[in-house]
């Protein structure tokens, strides 16, 4: 079955037809109606940043694997990411001001570093869904979160290849970041076992873990390391 969709051609200025297969139709994003989201009962601007010396005195760490618990914290996750972006922009602005006699204004951060739809998609589809939340001990305010799962893709044709130009690794990346420059890491990942169906539950790479969500107020590195330590201890990945 083919579905014909009318489209205006910007270059030619005329109407043309795009034919989509029934399989293509399944991959058209359609968000199901959900219940209205409740705003947190506190202002994220008031949440204190985590201090290393008192992290487990003033904060409590929760391991969360219940999907409904993550969905219940959805607006907190979103607003915490927004607040973290604004705080980072203010720090950048303060550092720039110290280096220059002229007052410089940092570029405004992304309004939503992690969009609501992406967060909800990960909570809905990640299997297994594991992660941590760090909250203030006194008030229960969210200070950071991380989730991780087995890597899964719904692409029919997918391969690990760091040397392909389409991977988007630039010369600047090679100079500034740790990069799979010789392609050996990608080659090892490509050799990993996988199973599944891209038209169904997805193709799962059970030996490859993925950090799916991460947001934090000065505790991102600690939460990321906590997730890596757990994944390493599992001896599954």
């Amino acid at each position: 079955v083919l579905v014909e969709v009318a489209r205006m051609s910007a270059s030619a200025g005329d109407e043309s037809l795009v034919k989509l297969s029934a399989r293509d139709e399944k991959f058209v994003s359609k968000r199901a109606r959900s219940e209205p989201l409740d705003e947190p009962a506190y202002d994220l601007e008031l949440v204190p940043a985590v201090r290393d010396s008192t992290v487990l005195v003033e904060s409590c760490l929760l391991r969360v694997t219940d999907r409904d618990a993550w969905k219940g914290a959805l607006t907190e996750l979103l607003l915490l990411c927004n607040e973290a972006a604004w705080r980072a922009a203010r720090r950048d602005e303060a550092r720039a001001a110290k280096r220059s006699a002229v007052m410089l204004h940092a570029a405004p951060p992304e309004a939503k570093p992690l969009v609501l739809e992406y967060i909800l998609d990960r909570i809905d589809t990640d299997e297994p869904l594991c992660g941590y939340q760090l909250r203030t001990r006194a008030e229960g305010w969210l200070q950071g979160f991380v989730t991780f799962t087995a890597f899964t893709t719904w692409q029919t044709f997918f391969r690990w290849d760091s040397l392909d130009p389409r991977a988007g690794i630039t010369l600047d990346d090679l100079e500034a970041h740790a990069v799979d420059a010789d392609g050996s890491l990608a080659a090892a990942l490509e050799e990993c076992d996988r199973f599944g169906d891209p038209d169904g539950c997805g193709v799962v790479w059970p030996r490859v873990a993925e950090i799916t969500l991460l947001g934090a107020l000065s505790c991102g590195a600690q939460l990321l390391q906590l997730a890596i330590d757990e994944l390493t201890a599992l001896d599954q990945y």
Side-chain angles (χ1 to χ4, degrees):
V1 179
L2 294 177
V3 181
E4 293 187 340
V5 181
R7 180 186 68 175
M8 292 301 296
S9 173
S11 58
D14 59 345
E15 189 174 67
S16 59
L17 293 177
V18 177
K19 293 185 178 181
L20 301 179
S21 68
R23 180 180 182 276
D24 293 331
E25 275 268 289
K26 295 179 182 179
F27 288 92
V28 175
S29 178
K30 298 176 181 177
R31 171 63 60 198
R33 179 179 291 275
S34 60
E35 295 297 323
L37 299 175
D38 294 326
E39 292 284 336
Y42 59 95
D43 190 337
L44 270 295
E45 292 185 9
L46 303 178
V47 178
V50 175
R51 294 182 293 177
D52 289 343
S53 59
T54 60
V55 60
L56 292 182
V57 176
E58 299 178 352
S59 306
C60 57
L61 183 68
L62 308 173
R63 189 176 189 278
V64 183
T65 57
D66 181 70
R67 208 173 297 275
D68 289 336
W70 283 108
K71 286 184 178 179
L74 191 58
T75 52
E76 287 182 285
L77 306 182
L78 175 68
L79 294 177
L80 182 135
C81 291
N82 298 351
E83 179 63 23
W86 279 110
R87 294 189 190 188
R90 288 195 290 268
R91 287 194 299 269
D92 292 342
E93 187 174 280
R95 284 194 290 265
K98 289 181 179 180
R99 294 193 298 266
S100 174
V102 180
M103 183 60 183
L104 299 176
H105 294 280
E110 291 287 341
K112 295 180 179 180
L114 281 180
V115 297
L116 180 66
E117 290 79 8
Y118 178 77
I119 298 174
L120 185 56
D121 280 345
R122 298 313 310 230
I123 294 174
D124 276 339
T125 61
D126 284 358
E127 183 61 45
L129 174 62
C130 304
Y132 290 94
Q133 295 179 9
L134 190 70
R135 294 181 175 272
T136 58
R137 191 174 294 275
E139 303 89 358
W141 296 348
L142 185 67
Q143 293 176 294
F145 64 92
V146 62
T147 64
F148 47 91
T149 189
F151 180 78
T152 305
T153 178
W154 281 264
Q155 296 293 328
T156 303
F157 302 101
F158 176 89
R159 78 174 189 273
W160 301 94
D161 188 350
S162 302
L163 303 182
D164 192 303
R166 290 170 294 182
I169 299 175
T170 66
L171 292 177
D172 289 339
D173 292 328
L174 292 172
E175 295 177 358
H177 305 289
V179 173
D180 182 28
D182 62 358
S184 58
L185 177 58
L189 289 169
E190 187 64 21
E191 292 297 319
C192 290
D193 292 335
R194 71 209 74 171
F195 64 87
D197 178 4
D199 293 332
C201 65
V203 179
V204 182
W205 306 63
R207 294 282 294 169
V208 180
E210 178 184 4
I211 303 293
T212 54
L213 299 172
L214 176 63
L217 301 176
S218 301
C219 58
Q222 294 95 324
L223 288 172
L224 178 60
Q225 189 60 56
L226 184 66
I228 292 173
D229 289 344
E230 176 173 330
L231 292 168
T232 302
L234 289 174
D235 197 31
Q236 174 184 341
Y237 298 101

